[in-house]
Amino acid sequence: MRKPCRLLACFLLALTLTARPAQAGPLVAAIGAIATTVGSFFATNIFTQFLGRILLSVALSALQRALMPKPREPGIKTKVTQTGGTNPQAFPLLKYATAGTHVCPPMSHGSAGKTPNAFLTYVILLSDVPGCSLSRVMINSQYVTLGGVAHPDYGLPVTGDAGGSAWVKFYDGTQTVADPMLISRYSINPNRPWLADMIGRGSAYAIMTFKYNRELYPSLPRVRFELNGIPLYDPRKDSTVGGSGAHRWANRATWEASTNPIVGAYNVMRGITLTDGSVWGGNLPAEDVPLASWFAGMNECDLLVTNGAGTEPQFRAGFEVSVDEEPADVIDELMKACIGRIAEIGGMWKVRVGPPGLPVLHITDADIVITRPQDFRPFPNFAASYNGTHATYPDPESNWETKEAAPVYNATYEAADQGQRLMADLNLAAVPYPAQVRRIMHASVEEERRFRRHEQTLPPDAAILEPLDAISWTSTANGYVTKVFEVDGTTEDLQTILQAVTLREADAADFSYPGLPAPTPISNLPVLPGNQVVPLFAVSGTSILDATGAARRPAISMTWEPDLADVTGILYEVRLNATGVIVARGSTQDVATGALLLAEGIIAATVYQVRARPVVDRPSAWTAWLPVTTPDTLITSPDLAAGSVSIQVQTIVLGPITRGALSVGTVLATLDLGAIGAGQGWERRLHFEARLEGTVTFSEFVIALERRRRILGGSFETWVVLDTFTIASNNWNMIADSGTLAGVYNDFEYRLAVNSLVISGGSSSGEVLRNIYITAVRVTK
């Protein structure tokens, strides 16, 4: 029995080889019609066009297939946030970026200070299939960092320069209620009220909130979102179909996001259910996508390879799918991302990724049926030869814009092609991974140089061969020793069971990627000028001098670059280093002098921090806090009137003190002056009230004023009596004393103590001392 798919493949291949370029368009249309007539052999629900394309390309190299015209433009699909209500549904199949679609026009609410409508709100639809997650956010072509603590209304805050001015809240499509912030702020909007039934079930969307800031947002902010793709079924993780894990086709909750292109293609083949219940993709039953080859393809993609700086999966992909695109076109892009090939075999779909598989059959020259026609093409025509590649791809570090990869050249191949550089231009729209782009470019050229093609007939035992299988061939006639070929197509003769095969030269070494350096990350994101700061800003402690050159006041000196044509002023702030309390702030418009001396409110011998900011008509920023210590410039005699006091130290004991509390040596009060410096003049004051207890007929006691001192480098001397005061009256008497002090000491103390005591009779509870004051002042002469 003839195999319909293989016969059709050979028929179409023959048409392909004989058609001139001008015939390509009608040929594709004809194949579409033919595929429709044999729908009983294929799952034709979405693959009529795909089948025709596969049959046309079955004998082409990966490079030639990648060069076939495709409708997808380079770079990401949704570059600018769309508006309107007729945009097709879309979703991220694997990790990719999108600007999304405005659910409604931008709205505003609230106030900041006296600024009305200070908060701008975007509601942006990101996926019409639930389950994707937010990876990164871009605002005005720059990635932003999100804080970890969410605002109760607006979501995660943007940090850095935009801190306090932007927030993002993300819903993954599993939400069951409308956003409370949108309801609270916009339910009373007279034109577009946000109501409780506006939930967005099954749709992933983001709410962006921006606070009014003309420096950061001179116009409406532009946003893009990097998304981890929708959950996908990975049969390798399903223990019921030969894998290992909890994935189940019938339970979407068990699926996970992936970057594996064959996992993505498998899900497209099986069909992806949209929010409205419709299925985009093949909607094929599991038996039409046999897992043996798909498992192998998925595993080949996940194989770790070097990227020049470390390791990464060999093949990954990312794609934003729009449901108005043909699923076949999406699968084409995913196959380009992994140098993959896909073939239909008797109603089932088989895939091969990267290098050829292990040979399933070995043949020699003796196996060739020489009575049947043979064809051998050792070289293609010159116009169809390539010896190098250029490639474009969407670069995540360049805002997902299209970027040109470093070209791949090969001097050996150029020499073989008469010294001409024959370049292929690849558009790898589904490969946002620079090192992988280089691997695809390298392997595509290497595979392209495997020129040999054979068409011949083999015995019936070759009936086991299917497209994408590999065989090995030892041929004396051709000089082959177990040389590997890949089967591009087979046709079975019903009468003889002989197998006509089309073979293409293949070699696993093409995928070894030798010596590929790590790509140099060069972003094409706009380089925005940084916030203007005060250039060459510096601070130092100094003193303000009088006419004689004497230092009279502590001050802080600020200096900066004076040649600042567009700066109209300099703002400054001064804070205490110890507490962080702002003690001075102000500004100067005299920018051209490049200096400012600040003395008001500045204390001597104190550590401060100072910063400055320019007044300029563009974004500006404070300088870092700079530390500065003021000099020990204290007030001196020229600033004080004669006899004025600069320091006063005092001890007070109000009492009263009773007779029973006294004994010889009792210390009544102590005054510690601390260190005394050179050139200082001190005066001492003492007064207290004393009496004998009234019922005593004959008694007296003596109070002594004493001092001790510690000279530089030494210890305290013993107490020395400066004066004594004899108390012999029953009436309260005010006793006063004064003196001076001069010299240099590490410490100096005065005390008042009981020197002697004679008491005869009387009550011990009687009051005898009160209101003791010992005072020392530093004075100006």
Side-chain angles (χ1 to χ4, degrees):
M1 176 178 179
R2 187 176 302 277
K3 301 173 184 176
C5 300
R6 296 173 185 168
L7 177 61
L8 181 60
C10 291
F11 170 70
L12 294 173
L13 177 61
L15 289 178
T16 305
L17 296 176
T18 58
R20 293 188 299 273
Q23 299 171 313
L27 180 60
V28 172
I31 289 174
I34 294 171
T36 302
T37 65
V38 294
S40 60
F41 295 103
F42 311 102
T44 58
N45 45 0
I46 65 160
F47 287 110
T48 299
Q49 179 185 6
F50 188 36
L51 174 63
R53 184 181 300 123
I54 288 177
L55 293 172
L56 275 174
S57 64
V58 70
L60 302 179
S61 69
L63 184 62
Q64 292 167 330
R65 296 194 311 277
L67 291 172
M68 294 173 68
K70 297 293 185 297
R72 172 63 70 97
E73 293 295 323
I76 66 172
K77 183 175 180 65
T78 309
K79 298 181 179 181
V80 178
T81 306
Q82 301 179 90
T83 58
T86 60
N87 299 310
Q89 296 183 77
F91 57 89
L93 180 63
L94 303 160
K95 187 171 185 177
Y96 217 59
T98 180
T101 301
H102 280 294
V103 173
C104 60
M107 305 178 290
S108 61
H109 71 274
S111 60
K114 296 184 179 181
T115 303
N117 297 319
F119 294 91
L120 173 69
T121 303
Y122 291 170
V123 184
I124 300 177
L125 178 65
L126 301 177
S127 173
D128 289 289
V129 176
C132 63
S133 61
L134 186 64
S135 174
R136 291 190 291 182
V137 177
M138 292 159 273
I139 299 177
N140 289 342
S141 301
Q142 298 289 329
Y143 285 109
V144 297
T145 301
L146 301 181
V149 179
H151 186 281
D153 292 329
Y154 303 142
L156 295 177
V158 172
T159 62
D161 292 340
S165 296
W167 297 262
V168 58
K169 185 188 291 185
F170 177 78
Y171 288 98
D172 68 358
T174 60
Q175 65 275 3
T176 57
V177 296
D179 179 74
M181 186 278 290
L182 294 177
I183 293 177
S184 66
R185 301 299 195 278
Y186 299 109
S187 61
I188 60 173
N189 187 301
N191 299 314
R192 292 180 298 275
W194 198 274
L195 304 178
D197 61 350
M198 296 180 176
I199 298 170
R201 287 187 178 89
S203 298
Y205 72 96
I207 303 172
M208 295 293 303
T209 303
F210 301 94
K211 183 179 179 181
Y212 177 82
N213 187 320
R214 287 297 299 273
E215 287 187 355
L216 291 173
Y217 313 119
S219 60
L220 288 177
R222 306 180 309 279
V223 294
R224 285 184 182 177
F225 303 86
E226 184 179 274
L227 302 171
N228 299 309
I230 62 171
L232 299 176
Y233 172 69
D234 187 340
R236 297 174 300 166
K237 299 179 180 181
D238 185 345
S239 57
T240 67
V241 298
S244 175
H247 279 219
R248 301 292 185 269
W249 175 255
N251 185 359
R252 193 176 183 277
T254 64
W255 302 0
E256 302 170 83
S258 175
T259 58
N260 188 302
I262 300 303
V263 171
Y266 180 87
N267 280 260
V268 174
M269 300 288 283
R270 295 291 307 275
I272 294 175
T273 302
L274 305 179
T275 303
D276 61 2
S278 60
V279 176
W280 179 90
N283 205 16
L284 299 178
E287 56 268 22
D288 287 355
V289 194
L291 292 178
S293 72
W294 290 85
F295 272 29
M298 295 172 187
N299 291 337
E300 183 68 27
C301 290
D302 286 343
L303 181 68
L304 293 180
V305 297
T306 181
N307 60 15
T311 59
E312 65 181 22
Q314 181 176 209
F315 299 120
R316 291 174 289 173
F319 212 66
E320 182 190 14
V321 171
S322 176
V323 298
D324 62 345
E325 294 181 281
E326 290 290 343
D329 293 330
V330 174
I331 291 178
D332 278 341
E333 293 296 336
L334 296 178
M335 291 299 117
K336 285 164 57 177
C338 60
I339 318 182
R341 306 180 73 191
I342 187 169
E344 187 277 339
I345 304 162
M348 294 187 295
W349 297 87
K350 178 180 176 181
V351 70
R352 194 270 292 150
V353 172
L358 294 175
V360 299
L361 182 69
H362 178 73
I363 65 173
T364 66
D365 290 344
D367 294 308
I368 308 301
V369 180
I370 61 174
T371 59
R372 294 298 180 96
Q374 299 181 50
D375 183 48
F376 172 48
R377 284 162 290 162
F379 302 104
N381 64 64
F382 193 73
S385 296
Y386 299 98
N387 53 43
T389 56
H390 293 145
T392 56
Y393 67 99
D395 183 14
E397 301 312 313
S398 300
N399 202 30
W400 288 82
E401 295 290 349
T402 302
K403 186 173 181 178
E404 181 86 14
V408 171
Y409 303 125
N410 190 303
T412 301
Y413 296 155
E414 291 176 17
D417 292 333
Q418 303 176 19
Q420 296 194 45
R421 181 168 288 174
L422 308 174
M423 303 298 292
D425 292 313
L426 302 182
N427 169 25
L428 302 176
V431 189
Y433 303 99
Q436 180 177 328
V437 171
R438 293 277 291 168
R439 292 195 294 274
I440 293 173
M441 295 167 70
H442 168 81
S444 296
V445 171
E446 294 300 315
E447 187 192 42
E448 173 67 17
R449 303 302 291 193
R450 308 294 175 187
F451 294 134
R452 293 172 176 265
R453 303 289 188 271
H454 288 271
E455 294 179 20
Q456 55 204 16
T457 302
L458 298 177
D461 58 354
I464 64 171
L465 295 179
E466 296 177 342
L468 305 186
D469 281 344
I471 70 169
S472 64
W473 183 5
T474 295
S475 171
T476 302
N478 294 286
Y480 302 155
V481 179
T482 62
K483 185 172 181 62
V484 175
F485 287 84
E486 192 167 67
V487 178
D488 280 334
T490 67
T491 303
E492 183 177 282
D493 189 295
L494 285 176
Q495 295 180 343
T496 64
I497 318 299
L498 296 177
Q499 307 292 316
V501 296
T502 301
L503 304 177
R504 183 176 57 86
E505 180 183 9
D507 195 324
D510 297 341
F511 297 83
S512 60
Y513 322 119
L516 291 180
T520 302
I522 302 176
S523 174
N524 63 0
L525 292 178
V527 179
L528 302 177
N531 292 337
Q532 175 72 44
V533 295
V534 179
L536 302 180
F537 183 67
V539 293
S540 60
T542 187
S543 296
I544 295 179
L545 308 180
D546 63 14
T548 67
R552 298 285 294 275
R553 296 289 187 275
I556 294 174
S557 172
M558 308 179 207
T559 59
W560 58 85
E561 165 60 47
D563 187 14
L564 301 173
D566 59 342
V567 176
T568 59
I570 302 292
L571 304 174
Y572 64 84
E573 288 185 343
V574 181
R575 71 182 184 184
L576 285 169
N577 181 73
T579 64
V581 175
I582 300 293
V583 296
R585 57 165 53 97
S587 65
T588 178
Q589 284 70 51
D590 194 2
V591 179
T593 60
L596 176 68
L597 201 61
L598 178 66
E600 183 179 359
I602 301 304
I603 301 171
T606 303
V607 181
Y608 293 98
Q609 292 179 335
V610 186
R611 67 176 182 175
R613 183 173 185 170
V615 179
V616 63
D617 191 20
R618 63 173 181 271
S620 63
W622 289 99
T623 64
W625 287 102
L626 300 181
V628 58
T629 301
T630 54
D632 190 15
T633 305
L634 301 175
I635 294 176
T636 56
S637 57
D639 298 297
L640 299 176
S644 61
V645 174
S646 58
I647 292 180
Q648 176 175 293
V649 184
Q650 190 174 57
T651 292
I652 302 173
V653 179
L654 296 178
I657 301 172
T658 63
R659 193 197 73 181
L662 300 181
S663 61
V664 175
T666 299
V667 176
L668 304 173
T670 301
L671 177 65
D672 187 351
L673 300 183
I676 297 176
Q680 298 179 1
W682 290 80
E683 293 186 0
R684 176 246 308 154
R685 304 280 193 271
L686 168 67
H687 66 269
F688 61 91
E689 296 178 53
R691 72 172 184 177
L692 294 178
E693 193 259 321
T695 61
V696 178
T697 57
F698 178 77
S699 67
E700 71 174 16
F701 62 92
V702 178
I703 304 297
L705 176 63
E706 302 173 339
R707 62 106 172 122
R708 69 173 181 175
R709 58 192 182 183
R710 185 160 59 91
I711 301 175
L712 297 177
S715 58
F716 271 112
E717 300 172 344
T718 60
W719 288 99
V720 176
V721 176
L722 296 179
D723 207 348
T724 59
F725 311 97
T726 301
I727 312 302
S729 172
N730 289 336
N731 298 318
W732 287 107
N733 291 311
M734 172 67 72
I735 300 172
D737 184 72
S738 64
T740 60
L741 168 64
V744 180
Y745 305 99
N746 275 354
D747 206 344
F748 200 101
E749 292 182 349
Y750 290 104
R751 77 178 183 183
L752 198 64
V754 177
N755 183 265
S756 66
L757 183 64
V758 178
I759 299 176
S760 298
S763 170
S764 64
S765 61
E767 298 176 358
V768 295
L769 285 168
R770 66 186 183 188
N771 298 332
I772 302 172
Y773 289 82
I774 307 176
T775 306
V777 296
R778 195 170 80 182
V779 298
T780 300
K781 297 297 184 181

